């Protein structure tokens, strides 16, 4: 039984190698981004890269691999000079994609770039690349696994320092190596279990082999479960923490949004109920990504349009990762119990982290000292800060509180084991954990069925790294890459 499965797997691998060998086309694209710039990098990959570089430079001899050389670049059809720039030759498999590759570093003006692209497109066997096709070829040739490819995409899209650190760590293979270690552990356990099933009747396999497999599976189940209980840190860091500004009408929610993003993103008016729809901006706070939403004032509205705005505000509040509850400092009670009751009237989710912002601090008179004392007491209140959106007083304290909460939610991307960054990772890991749990329940009644549970768990791990995958999964992952990557 085990031998038949091994032969079947070998046949599938052989078919994949034959399919890979059938790739005969050469792709090209701008890989440095679009728009006018000082230098643009145009990349090719495939068997026609050598001929393309020879045709555009007019020289049969290529520069040494991975060495920049200054060349005049011409249209091969007319001989017209297009630019004078640097070229570099990467001979496969020592290239990003594992194929023969060439790069042309030309001046980044639109006319130069389009002229070089037209010249490449006129050569036989060359075609424009699809989005993410360079990285997909690198994956196909084993230059990186799917988690590393996803890390590369995240690195390109990273907008904050923490996002960059997490993406770089994943691109360099830490997450993939963790899952591969788990997969190797499962492979070994499965091999021992199948050996026991196939040969135990001949007394060639000792009974304690089963105990070793059980211990391995239990340890792995605990490790996967611990990895899943990370509070979605990696996903929050990758996509941004969703924070919602919530509070009664006319307490300065829109003013707070404008103050934090340093531009008039939301309309500010003394008329209560001005904000009807959700206004959303992306911010970088302390190196962490924050997606901040301004919402309608929470009250029992009678106007149908405002009622819809309040309903949307409630929906955002339920979905939030962090709540900025805004109250009027000049109108709230000055003792902790009263402040807690005022906060509770907004009905924020009890499990969602919250920062209480007491705005309009510039209007405080005699109550300023007692209110500050109430804020300093802390528990049972969430973190509290006084703020004046009019003068900016208290902004530094608010930013410090925000940065602290974001660091707690997202964690340090450089410490501990790498975090889950994609929902598909979580999905496969949960199914892997479920299969391991079923193994423990079924092992004593049916060893064959228990072995199948280990195979299912291993397939789910392989689906994360791409060692077991399907074309539709690959399409979803690589379609979000930019052209030229």
């Amino acid at each position: 039984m085990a031998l038949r499965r091994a032969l079947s797997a070998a046949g599938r691998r052989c078919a994949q190698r034959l399919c890979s060998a059938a790739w005969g086309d050469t792709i090209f694209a701008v890989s440095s981004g679009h728009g006018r710039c000082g230098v643009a990098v145009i990349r090719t990959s495939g068997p026609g890269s050598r001929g393309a570089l020879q045709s555009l430079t007019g020289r049969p001899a290529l520069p040494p691999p991975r060495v920049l050389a200054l060349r005049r670049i011409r249209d091969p059809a007319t001989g017209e000079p297009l630019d004078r720039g640097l070229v570099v030759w990467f001979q496969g498999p020592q290239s990003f994609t594992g194929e023969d590759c060439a790069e042309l570093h030309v001046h980044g003006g639109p006319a130069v770039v389009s002229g070089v692209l037209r010249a490449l497109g006129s050569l036989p066997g060359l075609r424009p690349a699809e989005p993410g096709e360079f990285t997909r070829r690198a994956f196909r040739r084993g230059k990186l696994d799917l988690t590393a490819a996803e890390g590369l995409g995240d690195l390109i899209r990273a907008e904050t320092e923490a996002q960059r650190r997490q993406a770089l760590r994943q691109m360099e293979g830490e997450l993939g190596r963790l899952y591969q270690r788990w997969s190797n552990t499962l492979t070994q356990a499965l091999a021992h279990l199948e050996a026991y099933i196939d040969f135990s009747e001949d007394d060639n396999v000792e009974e304690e082999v089963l105990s070793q497999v059980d211990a391995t599976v239990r340890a792995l189940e605990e490790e996967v479960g611990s990895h899943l209980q990370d509070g979605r840190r990696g996903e929050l860091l990758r996509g941004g923490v969703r924070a919602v500004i919530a509070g009664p009408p006319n307490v300065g929610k829109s003013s707070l949004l404008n103050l934090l993003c340093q531009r008039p993103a939301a309309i500010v008016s003394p008329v209560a109920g001005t904000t009807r729809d959700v206004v959303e901006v992306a911010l970088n706070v302390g190196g962490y990504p924050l997606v901040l939403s301004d919402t309608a004032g929470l009250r029992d509205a009678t106007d149908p349009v405002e009622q819809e705005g309040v309903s949307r505000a409630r929906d955002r509040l339920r979905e939030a990762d962090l709540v900025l509850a805004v109250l009027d400092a000049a109108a709230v009670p000055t003792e902790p119990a009263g402040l807690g009751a005022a906060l509770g009237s907004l009905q924020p989710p009890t499990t969602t982290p919250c920062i209480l912002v007491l705005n309009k601090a510039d209007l405080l008179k005699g109550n300023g000292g007692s209110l500050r004392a109430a804020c300093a007491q802390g528990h049972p209140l969430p973190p509290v800060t006084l703020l004046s959106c009019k003068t900016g007083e208290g902004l530094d304290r608010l930013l410090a509180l925000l940065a602290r909460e974001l660091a707690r939610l997202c964690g340090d991307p450089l410490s501990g084991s790498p975090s889950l960054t994609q929902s598909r990772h979580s999905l496969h890991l949960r199914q892997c954990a479920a299969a391991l749990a079923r193994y423990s329940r079924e092992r004593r009644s049916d060893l064959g069925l228990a072995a199948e549970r280990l195979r299912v768990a291993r397939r789910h791990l392989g689906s994360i790294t791409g060692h077991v995958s399907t074309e539709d999964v690959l399409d979803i992952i690589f379609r979000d890459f930019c052209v030229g990557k």
Side-chain angles (χ1 to χ4, degrees):
M1 180 174 63
L3 180 61
R4 285 197 301 271
R5 280 194 295 271
L7 291 173
S8 176
R12 286 196 300 271
R13 287 194 296 271
C14 181
Q16 289 170 353
R17 285 196 296 270
L18 290 173
C19 180
S20 299
W23 302 339
D25 55 348
T26 299
I27 57 175
F28 65 89
V30 179
S31 62
S32 56
H34 295 276
R36 188 176 283 102
C37 56
V39 176
V41 179
I42 298 172
R43 170 190 284 176
T44 71
S45 180
S49 293
R50 174 187 291 270
L53 191 56
Q54 291 170 330
S55 296
L56 266 69
T57 59
R59 298 191 183 188
L62 296 177
R66 296 175 301 283
V67 175
L68 287 166
L70 183 64
R71 295 286 188 269
R72 187 172 294 279
I73 299 168
R74 301 177 182 273
D75 187 326
T78 64
E80 177 189 0
L82 300 175
D83 194 14
R84 189 165 178 263
L86 298 172
V87 301
V88 60
W89 162 246
F90 299 93
Q91 187 169 7
Q94 295 177 322
S95 68
F96 172 70
T97 62
E99 303 175 324
D100 286 349
C101 292
E103 288 183 2
L104 299 98
H105 298 223
V106 300
H107 294 95
V112 174
V113 173
S114 62
V116 175
L117 291 177
R118 279 197 304 270
L120 287 170
S122 68
L123 297 174
L126 270 73
R127 63 170 177 82
E130 298 292 332
E133 191 169 2
F134 285 91
T135 307
R136 185 164 185 161
R137 290 189 176 205
F139 163 72
R140 287 294 196 186
R141 293 192 177 273
K143 304 295 284 189
L144 70 175
D145 67 14
L146 280 187
T147 60
E150 289 167 328
L152 174 58
D154 290 345
L155 185 62
I156 293 170
R157 291 185 288 268
E159 296 182 350
T160 73
E161 284 297 302
Q163 286 178 320
R164 176 186 61 78
R165 293 182 184 121
Q166 176 172 270
L168 185 60
R169 189 179 183 187
Q170 182 171 330
M171 187 193 73
E172 291 180 337
E174 284 199 47
L175 195 63
R177 285 192 293 272
L178 174 65
Y179 297 154
Q180 189 58 48
R181 176 172 65 81
W182 290 349
S183 182
N184 293 341
T185 299
L186 271 177
T187 300
Q188 186 176 30
L190 182 60
H192 290 166
L193 180 59
E194 289 184 333
Y196 182 86
I197 294 172
D198 290 344
F199 303 113
S200 61
E201 294 180 358
D202 300 329
D203 295 327
N204 292 324
V205 180
E206 298 179 359
E207 187 74 27
E208 67 182 32
V209 166
L210 280 182
S211 300
Q212 293 173 354
V213 171
D214 290 345
T216 298
V217 172
R218 279 195 304 270
L220 184 58
E221 185 180 358
E222 290 177 5
E223 196 171 354
V224 172
S226 176
H227 187 60
L228 282 167
Q229 301 302 319
D230 70 341
R232 297 178 54 243
R233 288 196 304 268
E235 292 183 55
L236 289 177
L237 180 52
R238 178 177 179 267
V241 175
R242 297 168 299 171
V244 172
I245 302 175
N250 228 22
V251 294
K253 298 184 301 298
S254 298
S255 297
L256 175 57
L257 180 81
N258 293 344
L259 180 64
L260 289 172
C261 70
Q262 296 293 298
R263 62 183 176 87
I267 297 174
V268 176
S269 167
V271 179
T274 301
T275 302
R276 302 295 180 90
D277 211 343
V278 176
V279 180
E280 189 175 274
V281 296
L283 301 174
N284 179 347
V285 178
Y288 292 93
L290 180 69
V291 182
L292 188 61
S293 299
D294 179 28
T295 59
L298 300 175
R299 65 175 177 180
D300 294 328
T302 56
D303 177 74
V305 178
E306 188 179 357
Q307 286 177 343
E308 176 61 25
V310 172
S311 175
R312 294 186 182 191
R314 293 286 184 196
D315 290 341
R316 284 298 180 102
L317 201 55
R318 283 189 289 270
E319 298 167 357
D321 303 311
L322 176 65
V323 175
L324 295 183
V326 184
L327 296 173
D328 187 340
V332 295
T334 58
E335 73 281 354
L339 277 176
L343 175 62
S345 67
L346 302 180
Q347 300 175 356
T350 55
T351 57
T352 304
C354 178
I355 296 175
L356 178 56
V357 181
L358 302 180
N359 189 31
K360 304 185 182 182
D362 54 291
L363 300 181
L364 288 176
K365 295 178 182 178
N367 293 333
S370 56
L371 188 57
R372 285 183 173 85
C375 294
Q377 289 192 18
H379 187 77
L381 293 173
V384 187
T385 184
L386 286 166
L387 174 71
S388 171
C389 289
K390 183 177 181 180
T391 66
E393 180 186 359
L395 178 59
D396 290 343
R397 160 76 175 161
L398 174 59
L399 289 174
L401 287 176
L402 270 174
R404 188 179 73 187
E405 286 296 322
L406 293 175
R408 188 181 63 81
L409 288 168
C410 298
D412 183 353
L414 297 181
S415 68
S417 38
S419 299
L420 292 161
T421 60
Q422 306 267 352
S423 58
R424 77 173 192 93
H425 299 175
S426 300
L427 174 64
H428 284 298
L429 284 176
R430 293 187 190 284
Q431 291 174 329
C432 171
L436 294 177
R438 294 187 69 177
Y439 164 87
S440 300
R441 293 195 300 269
E442 295 168 354
R443 204 278 279 170
R444 289 175 177 77
S445 59
D446 190 331
L447 287 179
L449 191 56
E452 180 60 25
R453 300 307 174 201
L454 296 187
R455 284 191 288 273
V456 169
R458 190 179 61 164
R459 279 199 296 272
H460 282 296
L461 287 175
S463 294
I464 299 176
T465 59
H467 294 103
V468 178
S469 191
T470 57
E471 285 300 318
D472 55 343
V473 173
L474 297 182
D475 289 340
I476 291 171
I477 291 171
F478 290 110
R479 73 185 179 193
D480 292 330
F481 276 73
C482 55
V483 175
K485 218 40 207 169

